[in-house]
């Protein structure tokens, strides 16, 4: 398996623009997570899906952020409008969803909002 | 918010020495996991220890868990330059029905050849 695939690897955009990050989880995994990593705040869980249904989105910073999982093999994280403080590395991770096991992370998307 | 806090934040050792990293957390847990992150890459799972376990080994890694002190340690024996990375502990809170992990701030380990 190719692992968790994220795209793009790098994104540079201007403040106010819409940004869409994409994730393909490992085939057969039922749980998907979006994390954000910054130097100041470390790794923060933004949202968690199980069987394509959002279970916990309490980590989503504000209404500018939205996430979808239209099917078991694809998820998006959208920021609209983007702000400089959104600059971070965004990671997608997946797990089998059977409970209490390890996460498999993608390589991340480095987002820079100018 | 960060459930786990690693100590030290940074560690520099010579190749062949042992590296010990500590993690403290605040609430009761189902399990505690350690991950490694190389610069510019995603996190890679190293080891998982359940709340009813006290010690676990995997190759050159040894993890201990003290639930009474709400702390864990990761020991890397006979370190190699390739072990240079950031190491994170992550906790799954007790009664968490899913797989939601809360990560600490990490320890940056540098192993000098």
């Amino acid at each position: 398996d190719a692992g968790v695939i994220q795209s793009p690897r790098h994104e540079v955009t201007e403040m106010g623009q819409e940004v869409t990050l994409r994730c393909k989880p490992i085939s057969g995994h039922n749980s998907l997570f979006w994390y954000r990593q910054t130097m100041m705040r470390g790794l923060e869980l933004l949202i968690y899906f199980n069987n394509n249904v959002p279970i916990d989105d309490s980590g989503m910073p504000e209404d500018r952020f939205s996430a979808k999982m239209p099917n078991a093999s694809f998820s998006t994280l959208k920021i609209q409008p983007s702000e400089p403080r959104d600059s971070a590395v965004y990671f997608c991770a997946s797990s089998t969803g059977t409970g209490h096991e390890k996460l498999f992370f993608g390589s991340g998307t480095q987002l820079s909002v100018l | 918010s960060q459930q786990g806090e690693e100590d030290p934040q940074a560690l520099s050792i010579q190749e062949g020495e042992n590296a010990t990293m500590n993690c403290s957390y605040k609430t009761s847990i189902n399990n505690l996991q350690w991950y490694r992150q190389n610069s510019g890459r995603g996190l890679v799972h190293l080891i998982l220890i359940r709340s009813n376990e006290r010690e676990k080994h995997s190759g050159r890694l040894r993890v201990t868990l003290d639930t009474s002190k709400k702390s864990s340690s990761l020991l890397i024996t006979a370190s190699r330059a390739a072990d240079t990375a950031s190491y994170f502990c992550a906790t799954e809170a007790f009664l968490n029905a899913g797989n939601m992990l809360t990560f600490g701030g990490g320890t940056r380990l540098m192993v000098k050849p």
Side-chain angles (χ1 to χ4, degrees):
Chain A
D1 199 313
V4 176
I5 300 173
Q6 291 187 246
S7 65
R9 283 284 279 135
H10 302 275
E11 177 80 32
V12 180
T13 190
E14 292 188 346
M15 183 174 61
Q17 296 297 307
E18 177 179 299
V19 174
T20 299
L21 311 181
R22 297 173 175 79
C23 175
K24 177 179 168 53
I26 292 173
S27 177
H29 280 193
N30 295 322
S31 293
L32 183 140
F33 308 80
W34 283 100
Y35 281 88
R36 178 172 68 177
Q37 186 177 36
T38 61
M39 287 294 292
M40 290 296 294
R41 300 174 68 88
L43 269 160
E44 303 172 279
L45 176 64
L46 301 178
I47 188 168
Y48 154 49
F49 292 88
N50 190 48
N51 292 322
N52 313 337
V53 176
I55 303 299
D56 190 317
D57 65 354
S58 58
M60 295 285 264
E62 49 199 89
D63 292 345
R64 296 185 298 106
F65 285 69
S66 63
K68 294 182 180 179
M69 193 163 186
N71 56 62
S73 60
F74 184 64
S75 177
T76 59
L77 178 67
K78 184 178 294 185
I79 308 173
Q80 165 66 11
S82 58
E83 297 182 1
R85 60 191 168 123
D86 302 330
S87 297
V89 182
Y90 291 81
F91 287 104
C92 175
S94 70
S95 70
T96 60
T98 55
H100 318 306
E101 78 275 21
K102 63 185 179 182
L103 302 188
F104 293 80
F105 280 79
S107 296
T109 295
Q110 172 81 58
L111 173 64
S112 297
V113 182
L114 307 178
Chain B
S1 62
Q2 294 179 5
Q3 156 81 312
E5 294 295 334
E6 282 91 341
D7 169 52
Q9 290 188 333
L11 180 61
S12 181
I13 59 174
Q14 292 294 134
E15 205 165 29
E17 294 180 341
N18 294 342
T20 299
M21 289 159 269
N22 302 297
C23 170
S24 60
Y25 57 92
K26 298 173 183 174
T27 62
S28 296
I29 60 172
N30 286 328
N31 65 67
L32 184 145
Q33 304 180 30
W34 285 90
Y35 287 78
R36 165 192 169 130
Q37 182 180 33
N38 286 77
S39 180
R41 307 300 298 271
L43 282 76
V44 176
H45 180 267
L46 294 176
I47 198 165
L48 180 153
I49 187 165
R50 302 192 188 283
S51 60
N52 61 352
E53 297 177 309
R54 292 297 168 258
E55 188 171 313
K56 207 160 184 180
H57 296 255
S58 177
R60 293 183 296 112
L61 306 181
R62 173 177 167 251
V63 169
T64 62
L65 178 64
D66 187 336
T67 53
S68 66
K69 296 181 179 178
K70 291 187 171 55
S71 67
S72 173
S73 67
L74 170 67
L75 169 67
I76 304 174
T77 60
S79 63
R80 306 166 181 168
D83 294 329
T84 295
S86 292
Y87 293 81
F88 295 86
C89 69
T91 52
E92 183 185 296
F94 185 61
L95 296 181
N96 185 336
N99 230 154
M100 292 167 51
L101 296 180
T102 304
F103 285 82
T107 293
R108 295 187 309 278
L109 173 65
M110 176 175 289
V111 182
K112 300 175 184 176

